[in-house]
Amino acid sequence: MKKRIVFVRHGRQNSSKCNVDVPLSPEGVLQAELLSERLKGSCFDIMFTSTLIRARETGDIINRNLRLDVIRRERLNEIDWGDLIGLTHAERDEKYGSFLAERQLRTSDLAFPGGESGEDAYSRARPVIDEMINGPWKSIITVTHGGMIRSLIAGLLGLPFSSKLAFGDSLENTSMSEFLYDTDTGLFSMETFNDHAHLFSHPELMRSAWKQE
């Protein structure tokens, strides 16, 4: 039997500071509404979300059309940015520019100073993935975060965690990445990645249009 897990990145948040727990921006609300409309009539059995505000709000908006029971799990929260949390992009680049440059080289799975690596984030989230695949549901939608989704892709496919930044130059807000889990083999396959077709007619909602401070 195959089980389906669709990972959704939350909508745009109302602050460009690093990994702060804040609500959606008006653009983020619209992104989630567009996805909700796109998913109307889709067959899901359950929704999981992280406990961070932006993921909860995104899930609630999507769920207006799906009307699913919702399970919140802190283990699905974004990868811990450690000492970078709350910094502006200018502050981040000034204080941690050399770390960020090394991270982009993908030679190792660097942990954020005072925070997590990709493998750390995956290990934290894996019990929730096990809850999903061992539960009674066949089709699951999960609202989480960009860094967590990248870490999950590497972990679920058995790839080096140092490669997590190779999965798309920009993971769009409210994009969907779909996995199938084979209950016979215990293996995952990635069916779609960064699907954001619902944003195509709204280029102003793309990450390239988001002016970061």
Side-chain angles (χ1 to χ4, degrees), residues 189-200:
S189 61
M190 186 165 66
E191 301 299 303
T192 63
F193 170 72
N194 197 29
D195 176 359
H196 54 282
H198 51 286
L199 302 182
F200 286 174

Side-chain angles (χ1 to χ4, degrees), residues 5 7 75-76 118 121-126 129 132 142 144-159 161 164 167 179 188:
I5 305 176
F7 295 107
R75 287 178 177 271
L76 294 172
Y122 173 75
S123 296
R124 164 163 59 85
R126 181 64 208 222
I129 302 300
M132 295 176 189
T142 302
T144 180
H145 305 266
M148 178 57 78
I149 292 172
R150 292 177 185 276
S151 301
L152 286 168
I153 291 171
L156 296 179
L157 298 181
L159 301 174
F161 287 96
K164 65 185 181 297
F167 308 132
F179 279 75
F188 288 88

Side-chain angles (χ1 to χ4, degrees), residues 77-88:
N77 289 4
E78 178 62 298
I79 188 170
D80 185 354
W81 285 50
D83 298 339
L84 281 71
I85 292 174
L87 299 182
T88 65

Side-chain angles (χ1 to χ4, degrees), residues 2 15 25 42 65 139 157 159 164-165 203:
K2 299 289 181 69
S15 172
S25 66
S42 297
N65 282 320
S139 187
L157 298 181
L159 301 174
K164 65 185 181 297
L165 296 181

Side-chain angles (χ1 to χ4, degrees), residues 112-184:
F112 285 99
E116 291 179 315
S117 66
E119 186 171 8
D120 293 333
Y122 173 75
S123 296
R124 164 163 59 85
R126 181 64 208 222
V128 183
I129 302 300
D130 292 338
E131 179 183 3
M132 295 176 189
I133 61 177
N134 292 323
W137 317 289
K138 292 182 179 179
S139 187
I140 301 155
I141 186 166
T142 302
V143 184
T144 180
H145 305 266
M148 178 57 78
I149 292 172
R150 292 177 185 276
S151 301
L152 286 168
I153 291 171
L156 296 179
L157 298 181
L159 301 174
F161 287 96
S162 58
S163 68
K164 65 185 181 297
L165 296 181
F167 308 132
D169 181 61
S170 182
L171 194 60
E172 293 290 342
N173 292 103
T174 66
S175 65
M176 298 184 289
S177 298
E178 179 178 341
F179 279 75
L180 291 180
Y181 173 73
D182 189 318
T183 59
D184 294 325

Side-chain angles (χ1 to χ4, degrees), residues 25-123:
S25 66
E27 295 84 359
V29 171
L30 179 55
Q31 289 167 332
E33 289 173 343
L34 289 167
L35 180 55
S36 181
E37 189 64 23
R38 178 182 175 184
L39 292 177
K40 185 183 293 184
S42 297
C43 294
F44 290 100
D45 301 314
I46 193 74
M47 174 182 286
F48 281 73
T49 79
S50 93
T51 62
L52 297 179
I53 298 169
R54 57 195 185 274
R56 298 200 321 261
E57 289 187 347
T58 300
D60 289 346
I61 293 169
I62 295 170
N63 208 25
R64 292 173 186 170
N65 282 320
L66 297 177
R67 301 184 182 278
L68 301 169
D69 289 336
V70 180
I71 297 173
R72 317 276 192 198
R73 290 288 183 261
E74 187 175 1
R75 287 178 177 271
L76 294 172
N77 289 4
E78 178 62 298
I79 188 170
D80 185 354
W81 285 50
D83 298 339
L84 281 71
I85 292 174
L87 299 182
T88 65
H89 285 265
E91 292 169 337
R92 181 196 69 180
D93 293 344
E94 179 183 356
K95 294 181 179 180
Y96 297 101
S98 59
F99 162 77
L100 294 169
E102 184 179 359
R103 184 170 180 266
Q104 290 298 321
L105 295 176
R106 309 174 193 164
T107 55
S108 62
D109 180 30
L110 294 175
F112 285 99
E116 291 179 315
S117 66
E119 186 171 8
D120 293 333
Y122 173 75
S123 296

